[in-house]
Amino acid sequence: MTRHTASLVITGHDLDFRDMAKAAAGKLPVSLAPQAFAAIAASRGIVETILKENRPAYGITTGVGSQKDFAVDPASAAAYNARLVAAHATRVPGPTLPPEAVRGAMIFLANQFANGLSGVSPELVELLVAAINGDKMPEIDGSGSVGASDLVPNAQLAHWLLNRPEAKKLGLPRPKETLSLINNNAISLAQGAMALASAERLLAAFDLAAAAALEGFRGNLGSISEAANRAHKREGQRRAAQRLRHFLSDSRLWNKGEPRLLQDPLSFRCVSQVHGAAAEVFAETAKVWNSELNSVNDNPIIDRETADAVSNGNMDTTRLTLAADHLRQALGKMCDLAGERVHKQQWPAFTGLPTGLAEEGGAVGGVQFLNLGHITASLVTSVKIWARPSLLNSVGQVADGVEDTASHALHAVHDLMRVIDAGWKIAGLELMIAVWAMKRRRLGTADLGRGIRPAVESLSDMLPIGREGDAIFDIAPLIAELQSGALLDRALTESREKVDLSLD
């Protein structure tokens, strides 16, 4: 794991999705705040008392799920916990989680345990933190959750953790610890946090692509003017329009007579409205995610005031799924508009340029010759499929009807990740087609907005303008150039902008 002077100190109360994503990627070492260990030890003491008194307590002196009414002898509770983790870790064929998702899940677990409400031992938390800072992550299946705790992938993670030599030396797992490791939404929360970190940058990339499209189309910038936005009290729209203006600052397009049309198609004219709405949805989703990252969704919790175990439904993921569903739809609308602008930039009736941005009218050349519009349309179609809400999908009667509702958070998050991945490709395609249009209009660098210039300088030589069909055109390097960060960061810096829209 790469070491830096900065670190992520886990307190249980102030974990942010951005820091979690960085630490999950191995860019920040992780430690637990020393004061957290007192709360952890106190709740562990209550669990030991429950065991000593053999009090009925879900998952401590009883079975779990539909087997909750069967007692577990405290004398065999440790052995029961070892069997419980192996039993729940059933392997599922299919994609496995990337290492950063596994590390992120453990970061959430450490943050949850730092609240001192789970009843795990300090030794388990120390083992967890050591594993977070390690280089090797286990292979965990990416499916098996219905959104009422990520039971199956969590159990596979717990099985790996508890079978490390250090765990064996410490006598782990102890009673209640297996249940605390598996009965939570760690995988959904971790993958969602990383998706949000990517989505925040994607929103900026979509703004850059739309600004470039306005530049290449010679659009009417009245639609993003302060006058237009003063007419509405939409904070997201105001801020999105401001960022678009910043990207286009010093552009010749601001001069009178430069815009070609009195009124552009809606996909150009409504950029700030749609992007602004998406920015507002993103801000709300981030707020929900940070709240959940710092909440305890263990069951049961250990209440130190009553010195008892309290059964609850805090593992329910309705809130997470609603947030992810909402964000997918907002991003889907952005992708839809970007797709429309891609088509309009190739359409002679709208652009005044040859078909498909060819050098001149003919059977050869331009972006249409490369099927870039078809590729974009295919991606937009996929996004619309993945953007459909997950919350109300039926789950059936799980665990003999005891678990009769679930909220599909992991499904919602996985579809969010798919939408974001496609979104980067769509934004990249719009950006490269906009650059192509600028080249066809013979616009010089000095004619362009300050934020647009880095894109033109970075992408121009990567586009096969005038060489269409000489070789297969691979768009992957251009998408990677946008997604890797340097191009986007340079565009933001040149326009005195930043990734975060800061709507507050």
Side-chain angles (χ1 to χ4, degrees):
M1 184 173 182
T2 304
R3 291 289 185 263
H4 296 271
T5 53
S7 64
L8 175 60
V9 179
I10 292 176
T11 67
H13 308 295
D14 55 5
L15 182 60
D16 179 82
F17 76 89
R18 299 176 187 87
D19 291 334
M20 184 182 194
K22 289 178 184 177
K27 297 178 181 178
L28 287 175
V30 172
S31 62
L32 197 75
Q35 62 268 26
F37 283 103
I40 293 168
S43 65
R44 183 64 207 174
I46 294 171
V47 171
E48 296 295 343
T49 299
I50 290 172
L51 288 162
K52 183 178 180 181
E53 298 175 356
N54 199 16
R55 274 188 268 150
Y58 177 78
I60 302 175
T61 56
T62 75
V64 298
S66 56
Q67 296 168 307
K68 60 184 173 53
D69 297 322
F70 295 93
V72 173
D73 185 352
S76 61
Y80 169 77
N81 272 255
R83 294 189 69 180
L84 182 66
V85 70
H88 278 66
T90 304
R91 299 309 305 239
V92 184
T96 56
L97 297 175
E100 57 268 24
V102 179
R103 183 178 284 112
M106 290 194 288
I107 291 170
F108 167 74
L109 288 172
N111 198 58
Q112 174 172 264
F113 295 159
N115 283 276
L117 298 175
S118 293
V120 301
S121 64
E123 290 82 3
L124 176 64
V125 181
E126 289 175 341
L127 176 71
L128 191 60
V129 173
I132 291 168
N133 289 320
D135 295 319
K136 184 176 175 56
M137 293 293 119
E139 187 174 277
I140 304 299
D141 296 325
S143 58
S145 171
V146 296
S149 292
D150 298 327
L151 291 173
V152 174
N154 279 348
Q156 293 175 10
L157 173 56
H159 188 265
W160 170 80
L161 182 71
L162 295 173
N163 280 278
R164 290 162 66 92
E166 308 95 300
K168 298 295 186 182
K169 291 178 182 178
L170 292 169
L172 302 176
R174 297 168 187 171
K176 175 64 166 72
E177 293 188 320
T178 289
L179 187 58
S180 290
L181 286 169
I182 70 176
N183 195 16
N184 58 75
N185 305 308
I187 304 295
S188 297
L189 285 163
Q191 290 199 288
M194 291 182 293
L196 286 177
S198 182
E200 189 168 39
R201 295 187 64 80
L202 177 59
L203 291 176
F206 267 123
D207 284 342
L208 175 61
L214 283 164
E215 189 83 84
F217 192 76
R218 309 317 284 161
N220 193 320
L221 301 187
S223 64
I224 59 171
S225 66
E226 291 187 47
N229 288 281
R230 278 198 300 267
H232 260 292
K233 308 301 179 186
R234 301 169 179 166
E235 181 58 26
Q237 176 181 334
R238 181 200 66 78
R239 186 63 182 89
Q242 183 184 64
R243 183 148 72 179
L244 290 166
R245 292 197 303 271
H246 287 174
F247 278 137
L248 289 162
S249 60
D250 297 337
S251 171
R252 203 178 79 191
L253 193 54
W254 292 104
N255 298 340
K256 188 174 181 179
E258 284 292 330
R260 295 182 308 101
L261 303 174
L262 177 64
Q263 186 165 275
D264 295 326
L266 289 172
S267 55
F268 289 87
R269 208 177 345 137
C270 297
V271 171
S272 64
Q273 287 81 2
V274 173
H275 288 205
E280 291 176 0
V281 170
F282 176 84
E284 286 302 312
T285 303
K287 182 178 179 181
V288 167
W289 228 264
N290 281 345
S291 171
E292 292 292 326
L293 286 175
N294 293 287
S295 299
V296 175
N297 47 65
D298 199 348
N299 176 45
I301 58 168
I302 304 302
D303 181 18
R304 295 197 296 276
E305 289 188 11
T306 61
D308 205 356
V310 180
S311 292
N312 65 85
N314 285 344
M315 80 295 299
D316 180 78
T317 57
T318 297
R319 191 180 187 216
L320 290 174
T321 305
L322 277 171
D325 281 356
H326 201 185
L327 182 56
R328 285 201 316 280
Q329 291 180 54
L331 290 170
K333 185 64 175 179
M334 295 178 77
C335 291
D336 191 30
L337 260 69
E340 291 301 319
R341 291 190 298 270
V342 161
H343 298 307
K344 294 300 187 298
Q345 290 186 82
Q346 303 178 50
W347 207 330
F350 288 102
T351 64
L353 295 170
T355 299
L357 300 180
E359 180 64 37
E360 56 187 32
V364 176
V367 297
Q368 179 61 41
F369 196 63
L370 301 173
N371 293 122
L372 298 190
H374 292 75
I375 294 167
T376 304
S378 175
L379 289 165
V380 171
T381 299
S382 294
V383 165
K384 290 178 179 180
I385 293 170
W386 297 324
R388 293 171 183 167
S390 300
L391 181 64
L392 298 181
N393 289 331
S394 174
V395 70
Q397 300 285 331
V398 179
D400 298 333
V402 172
E403 298 169 15
D404 55 359
T405 184
S407 302
H408 307 288
L410 193 57
H411 294 81
V413 168
H414 284 168
D415 279 345
L416 176 60
M417 294 166 65
R418 295 182 181 104
V419 167
I420 292 168
D421 179 68
W424 280 107
K425 297 169 187 174
I426 293 166
L429 282 159
E430 180 178 14
L431 187 58
M432 67 179 75
I433 290 169
V435 171
W436 204 302
M438 294 176 222
K439 291 295 183 181
R440 285 288 176 249
R441 295 188 191 280
R442 307 294 191 262
L443 294 171
T445 303
D447 298 323
L448 307 175
R450 295 177 62 86
I452 310 301
R453 295 169 191 174
V456 174
E457 292 168 359
S458 295
L459 302 182
S460 291
D461 290 341
M462 302 174 73
L463 294 170
I465 301 176
R467 307 188 306 276
E468 306 93 321
D470 289 353
I472 293 175
F473 176 40
D474 183 2
I475 67 172
L478 291 98
I479 305 300
E481 180 74 12
L482 175 63
Q483 195 169 2
S484 64
L487 167 57
L488 184 58
D489 287 340
R490 187 179 163 205
L492 290 164
T493 300
E494 290 292 326
S495 56
R496 298 182 177 86
E497 265 293 341
K498 55 186 178 179
V499 169
D500 184 3
L501 278 172
S502 299
L503 299 181
D504 296 333

